[in-house]
């Protein structure tokens, strides 16, 4: 036992108003591993993408409700565009999660400014849009077009009409997608439905938290905040990942990132609620991330009018 939790026990934490969730476990050495919103989004996107692949070409074809004798669906060989599946992230998403989604899952990603008001509309642009902030706040959205096509495949059974065959496996995958769409609450911020979806996916895969965590390994990261006289002197673009003001700040950050190695990145963005500028840094090592965050914090203090003790 470590604290009140058994070793390697599956644990989930939900915040007070039940709109955020994260998983965690503690191993034999006492080290606690967090599976945050990035890991939830990756798990969900991988599962959805796999099920859509199993549906096969039937998702690309038109389907009338019944054949002329009313016995079975009537499939047209007229192809439609593939369903788009995307993961929407903020600048705070770990770079390893972005690389996993794009390179391992071959799915699209979209980065938006921080906040559901930006994430949700971006997710709606995909046929299936998944978004979870790192803090576990998020959901998945299925378009009506996607649901219509999936329902048609689920209704197809083992039928061959024209050039399209709807196999039993395709039908099974379609039913699983429909069940997932019903379980997840498209109104963002339902942690209980999020837990149900995660548990259903883990059960379907036969995974525990170690297998889930092994999908990819986070890059070390560090967040710090710098007190400034007026946060509005810092203006950003590119989903808050680059600073356009004060002049010279972004060029100085870029130089520090280049010196920190190939996996490094960093950004500085003003808080929305207080006169501080928030710094985020990633690097290949823990020391590298800590050092980069400190160097960028010094730049913010210098360029943006820091107050109090220097970083």
């Amino acid at each position: 036992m470590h604290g009140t939790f058994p070793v390697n026990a599956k644990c989930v934490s939900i915040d007070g108003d039940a709109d955020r969730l994260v998983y965690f476990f503690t191993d034999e050495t006492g080290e606690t591993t967090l599976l945050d919103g990035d890991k939830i989004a990756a798990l969900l996107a991988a599962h959805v993408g796999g099920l859509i692949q199993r549906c096969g070409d039937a998702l690309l074809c038109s389907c009338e409700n019944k054949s002329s004798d009313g016995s079975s669906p009537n499939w047209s060989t007229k192809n439609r565009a593939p369903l788009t599946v995307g993961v929407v992230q903020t600048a705070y998403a770990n770079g390893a999660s972005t690389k996993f989604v794009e390179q391992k899952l071959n799915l699209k990603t979209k980065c938006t400014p921080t906040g559901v008001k930006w994430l949700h509309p971006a997710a709606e642009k995909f046929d299936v849009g998944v978004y979870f902030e790192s803090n576990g706040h998020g959901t998945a959205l299925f378009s009506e077009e996607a649901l219509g096509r999936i329902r048609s495949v689920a209704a197809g059974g083992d039928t061959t009409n024209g050039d399209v065959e709807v196999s039993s496996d395709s039908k099974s995958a379609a039913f699983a997608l429909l069940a997932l769409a019903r379980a997840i609450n498209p109104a963002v911020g339902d942690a209980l439905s999020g837990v149900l979806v995660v548990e259903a996916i883990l059960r379907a895969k036969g995974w525990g938290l170690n297998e889930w965590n092994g999908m990819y390994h986070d890059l070390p990261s560090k967040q710090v905040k710098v007190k400034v006289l007026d946060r509005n002197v810092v203006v950003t673009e590119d989903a808050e990942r680059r600073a356009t003001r004060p002049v010279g700040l972004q060029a100085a950050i870029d130089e520090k990132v280049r010196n920190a190695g190939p996996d490094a990145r960093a950004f500085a963005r003003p808080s929305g609620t207080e006169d501080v500028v928030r710094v985020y840094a990633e690097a290949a090592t823990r020391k590298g991330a800590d050092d980069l965050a400190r160097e960028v914090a010094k730049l913010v203090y210098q360029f943006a009018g820091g107050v109090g003790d220097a970083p």
Side-chain angles (χ1 to χ4, degrees):
M1 296 284 288
H2 291 280
T4 58
F5 302 111
V7 172
N8 290 323
K10 182 194 294 180
C11 303
V12 60
S13 178
I14 296 174
D15 68 336
D17 58 353
D19 66 355
R20 303 176 187 183
L21 71 149
V22 294
Y23 277 72
F24 64 95
F25 65 94
T26 303
D27 65 18
E28 295 83 354
T29 68
E31 181 178 355
T32 298
T33 297
L34 177 69
L35 293 95
D36 61 4
D38 293 343
K39 284 282 172 74
I40 296 171
L43 178 71
L44 190 52
H47 191 60
V48 169
L51 291 173
I52 286 177
Q53 285 186 337
R54 285 173 53 194
C55 287
D57 291 342
L59 280 177
L60 306 179
C61 302
S62 302
C63 175
E64 313 235 344
N65 287 335
K66 291 290 181 180
S67 59
S68 56
D69 62 3
S71 60
S72 63
N74 192 16
W75 293 85
S76 166
T77 58
K78 181 180 180 182
N79 284 349
R80 297 180 290 187
L83 294 179
T84 58
V85 181
V87 177
V88 185
Q89 302 178 319
T90 72
Y92 288 103
N94 194 275
S97 71
T98 307
K99 185 178 291 187
F100 174 78
V101 172
E102 293 178 344
Q103 297 183 7
K104 296 296 185 181
L105 301 183
N106 293 316
L107 299 177
K108 297 179 180 178
T109 63
K110 171 70 175 177
C111 188
T112 74
T114 304
V116 171
K117 70 177 182 179
W118 303 105
L119 289 156
H120 199 91
E124 290 179 322
K125 296 184 183 299
F126 295 101
D127 290 306
V128 184
V130 178
Y131 71 92
F132 277 86
E133 295 181 279
S134 298
N135 61 20
H137 193 201
T139 190
L141 306 175
F142 287 75
S143 71
E144 287 303 318
E145 171 71 15
L147 290 173
R149 292 202 211 177
I150 294 166
R151 290 189 189 105
S152 293
V153 175
D158 288 310
T159 304
T160 302
N161 287 301
D163 297 327
V164 182
E165 179 178 351
V166 184
S167 68
S168 59
D169 186 61
S170 295
K171 183 177 178 181
S172 176
F175 273 116
L177 282 167
L178 292 176
L180 184 66
R182 287 194 295 269
I184 194 77
N185 189 343
V188 64
D190 186 344
L192 297 180
S193 76
V195 170
L196 290 174
V197 167
V198 168
E199 291 299 316
I201 295 174
L202 293 178
R203 184 176 180 85
K205 290 181 173 293
W207 280 7
L209 296 192
N210 277 300
E211 291 84 1
W212 176 15
N213 188 53
M215 293 176 74
Y216 66 86
H217 298 289
D218 284 328
L219 289 167
S221 64
K222 178 72 172 180
Q223 296 187 47
V224 298
K225 62 182 182 180
V226 181
K227 292 183 179 180
V228 295
L229 187 63
D230 179 8
R231 66 182 184 273
N232 294 310
V233 302
V234 177
V235 179
T236 62
E237 63 178 6
D238 189 25
E240 302 179 310
R241 292 177 291 186
R242 298 189 64 81
T244 58
R245 295 207 321 253
V247 174
L249 174 59
Q250 187 59 52
I253 292 175
D254 289 343
E255 182 179 1
K256 296 296 183 183
V257 170
R258 283 194 297 270
N259 294 335
D263 289 322
R265 72 181 183 102
F267 63 87
R269 56 174 289 272
S271 168
T273 57
E274 55 182 329
D275 281 324
V276 301
V277 176
R278 304 188 185 278
V279 172
Y280 178 91
E282 284 179 7
T285 65
R286 165 54 54 201
K287 183 179 185 302
D290 292 347
D291 290 347
L292 180 57
R294 183 173 58 254
E295 291 301 313
V296 173
K298 290 178 181 178
L299 294 174
V300 171
Y301 189 91
Q302 173 189 344
F303 279 88
V307 296
D309 295 335

